[in-house]
Amino acid sequence: KQEVTQIPAALSVPEGENLVLNCSFTDSAIYNLQWFRQDPGKGLTSLLLIQSSQREQTSGRLNASLDKSSGRSTLYIAASQPGDSATYLCAVNRDDKIIFGKGTRLHILP
Amino acid sequence: EAQVTQNPRYLITVTGKKLTVTCSQNMNHEYMSWYRQDPGLGLRQIYYSMNVEVTDKGDVPEGYKVSRKEKRNFPLILESPSPNQTSLYFCASSTGRLSGANVLTFGAGSRLTVL
């Protein structure tokens, strides 16, 4: 059964630093991996989607990489800002079922 | 504005009293799905639908029913709610199947408490 793990569960970093969030999954037979952001009391917003045939995707200050064979993905955030404070979730899907990690709660210190 | 709308946003009910959480999207999306989010357990998929009259179970379907009679609506039905169904529920939709690399758009969530 697919399991998705995100480490660390929580992270605090000073504003301006670059940071990396980690995601690992146990079954490499995935179609896609997505990274989401969730603000307190709100729904999820999709940040990046990487197809299984791709190695990375970039959007602004965000870069997500995928190493399917090793079951790992990273989300790199450059020049962090207080507005980046949120919970970040990764999710993988095979077919039309999707499995989420429990998220990393990120706090950017002003 | 393109969005997924859930109602109610907050609900307190009692054990055994049937309730329906509605979900509607205005983007002509084919794929719709329901999730519950619990502390320590994360976000888990309950049911999904790939099109009208096509539904399938996610990871935690027990105690829930769904229907997809129209493309835009995907209600979640709790026939006999129990306290362990107290949770934060999300509805989401996408243009097509998740296997086709389609991005999910989420609703704002419905917080349900069953006493």
Side-chain angles (χ1 to χ4, degrees), chain A residues 12-26:
Chain A
S12 293
V13 299
E15 179 180 2
E17 286 201 1
N18 303 324
L19 60 99
V20 174
L21 306 181
N22 297 296
C23 173
S24 62
F25 47 95
T26 55

Side-chain angles (χ1 to χ4, degrees), chain B residues 19-57:
Chain B
L19 69 92
T20 299
V21 186
T22 64
C23 175
S24 179
Q25 49 90 7
N26 63 358
M27 297 168 280
N28 200 35
H29 281 177
E30 290 191 350
Y31 181 97
M32 297 186 74
S33 51
W34 276 103
Y35 307 83
R36 60 179 289 174
Q37 187 172 38
D38 302 288
L41 296 176
L43 197 66
R44 295 175 293 168
Q45 191 176 35
I46 303 171
Y47 269 98
Y48 62 94
S49 169
M50 291 182 282
N51 215 324
V52 175
E53 303 291 2
V54 181
T55 63
D56 210 342
K57 297 176 181 178

